[in-house]
Amino acid sequence: MLRTELGIGTFDELLYHYPYRYSDRTQFNKINSIKEDTEYAQIAGTLVNIGEEGDGRKKRLIATLYDDTGSIQLLWFQGAQWMKKALKENGKYIVYGKLNSFNGFYNIAHPEIEVWNQENAVPGLQPVYSSTQKLIIKGITNRSFAKLTSALFEKIKPYDIPEILPLEITKQYNLCNRYYAISKLHFPENENQATIANHRMKWEELFISQMMIARLRLQHTAQAGWKFEKVGDIFNNFYKDHLPFQLTNAQKRVLKEIRLDTATGKQMNRLLQGDVGSGKTIVALMAMLLAIDNGFQACIMAPTEVLAQQHFFSLHSLLSPMGITVKLLTGNVKGKERKSVLIRLADGTLQIVVGTHALIEDSVQFKNLGLAVIDEQHRFGVGQRARLWKKNEMPPHILVMTATPIPRTLAMTLYGDLDVSVIDELPPGRQEIKTVHRKEMYRPGVMKFLISEVDKGRQVYIVYPLIEESEKLDYESLTAGYEQVKIWFNPNKYNIAMVHGKQDPDEKERNMQRFISGHAHVLVATTVIEVGVNVPNASVMLIESAERFGLSQMHQLRGRVGRGAEQSYCILMTANKVSDECYKRINIIVSTTNGFTIAEQDLAMRGPGDMYGTQQSGILKFKLADIVKDSAILEETRKAAQQLLEKDPKLQLPQHQLLKQALIEQGKEKHWGKIS
Ligand code: ADP
Ligand code: MG
């Protein structure tokens, strides 16, 4: 039961099932003392009038709890029948929960509830564990958990929970010992003990993750790599005669970093961060020329067909005047063409290939892949990076490019094994994109503005949200939107293209191409266009139902315009009434175009799990620590991990053996092996 409901099957797991708060079962709120600003309350009283209301799916359970000063309602929307069976009319209970007020009356929905008797009325802090309704109904209450855990603590001795952190570290960072921490985390005598215990275990969690990253990084730096000895004719030629613009200082600096990295004889593992439009592509291209100059092949891998094509076209148009062949390899390249590309990659006559996931298939063999560029990294599973390595005996240099600026705390946790380059400067002459918030009631004005832009020769994007759970609904709102756009934009005069995730790839691509080529004036789309698409003539991005987009997503979308010389606009369309929280989010986008600022705010508001998909959130998931709130601890543990590995890179010292063991065990759990 515990195993299926909470994943607890061993004593160890019980030990690490920490309480999420503590309560003192002798301190109660009197019902008549509850005020507007009371957020949570613990009340002891008698339960009466237990009854169901509503029917079908809307069925709910209502009960009244009273003490000697007044009464309050308790509500259950889920599991009403179960709860009804478990609760006794006129029974005495202790109830805890978040207060809601309704017409001047207070209620608590889904409270923690426990029988109030002598046994429970122990003074001091009692642990409160997360549980499930099923367990509660089976009688496995919080109390039972506490009993189990406390029985366990009576059996074990301090040496059963040995210290895994070296003494030097616990001393330097003032951390209590592990046995103390875990026991006090379950049974603190006061708030202070709980805080100390909590700090110590958070510290340990973050330290372990930083140790893993630091060790991966050590592995990387020890990894031999191809040595790019020289900057040759091809690179110099391109720089002198074919570069269509002057590089920004930031681009020059990053190129230099790449050049130094690739000349060491060690493998490069570099993350290139640069806001949308900062000009990462040209940097990647020139890094590839460096590889060719030294007799190697290079590839660039993009997350979608459209993006791969776009890279292909821009590389092809820049490099073909120099007589350098670039080929495309995606799922759509078939037959003779595919065969020829594969043969030429294997015999080394093809120097640059642009592609999608198709590049990591086993059938793709390179003669001597020297550099692999991966664009828009977070769309790829982390494991896929690793597969590119295996294309040679010697792994290629790796350049990972991302357009989503990554807040420092996240970068330390997710990409701490990589060196980081940042392009922090936009090419000159870019005009700031004017961003405004418009409510539905101003739609006519907005649509007229779009038409006037199109009449000036520009193109516009209209983007609808697409969230998986309600895919069907979203599809309906997209097609309804499309019909509406057709009313505003006379189809006899204007061309409208539509792309969305439900189209088959060919159709999607055809529509995309109609817009890229300038044939279509308006592109109605879901977020499939979020990443990387480059249509410099597009000057307006209209985001529909902006309240449903994440900050980083809106920023990415906005980055699709402002790529040409024209003044560009981003319009965030919302319902007439929006929540305060939504206002706050919209205002962030309206008030800044700095991707790093936006990413920091996004992380703070949404947390890492939501921002970076499930695959990576496993690495970001801690029992106690929170990389945003505990960023100070994170910095500390990073330093500590580096210092420790400087002294003992292979963890051979006797005082590091238990730590090493813990790293190995946790490494298995979090699948660290699959990264990089
Ligand atoms: P991103 O970093 O978003 O991938 P791109 O590489 O697509 O950006 O570049 C955006 C646009 O800026 C492209 O049209 C590119 O040709 C142009 N560009 C890049 N670098 C410069 C520069 N130094 N000066 C002027 N234009 C540039
Ligand atoms: Mg790009």
Side-chain angles (χ1 to χ4, degrees), residues 354-402:
V354 181
T356 52
H357 294 74
L359 285 178
I360 51 180
E361 281 165 19
D362 290 334
S363 60
V364 182
Q365 295 294 330
F366 291 84
K367 177 151 187 273
N368 56 356
L369 181 62
L371 170 71
V373 181
I374 305 174
D375 196 12
E376 314 294 358
Q377 145 77 9
H378 66 272
R379 290 269 170 132
F380 286 105
V382 269
Q384 286 166 329
R385 255 202 280 161
R387 291 185 57 184
L388 270 176
W389 277 46
K390 303 199 176 107
K391 294 281 169 195
N392 291 326
E393 244 160 70
M394 183 88 96
H397 295 298
I398 304 271
L399 181 66
V400 172
M401 305 199 292
T402 166

Side-chain angles (χ1 to χ4, degrees), residues 236-303:
N236 285 328
N237 231 331
F238 179 82
Y239 190 77
K240 270 211 317 274
D241 298 331
H242 297 275
L243 194 60
F245 37 66
Q246 270 222 310
L247 294 181
T248 61
N249 285 328
Q251 286 170 321
K252 284 185 197 163
R253 189 187 62 236
V254 171
L255 267 172
K256 203 163 166 188
E257 286 166 348
I258 293 172
R259 235 181 59 205
L260 291 177
D261 264 10
T262 50
T264 56
K266 295 277 162 60
Q267 187 203 16
M268 171 173 81
N269 274 282
R270 191 165 276 283
L271 174 69
L272 172 54
Q273 289 201 51
D275 213 339
V276 271
S278 62
K280 294 183 291 291
T281 315
I282 199 80
V283 171
L285 178 145
M286 293 180 73
M288 296 209 257
L289 296 185
L290 212 54
I292 300 177
D293 261 337
N294 287 276
F296 293 97
Q297 296 169 298
C299 73
I300 178 163
M301 183 162 83

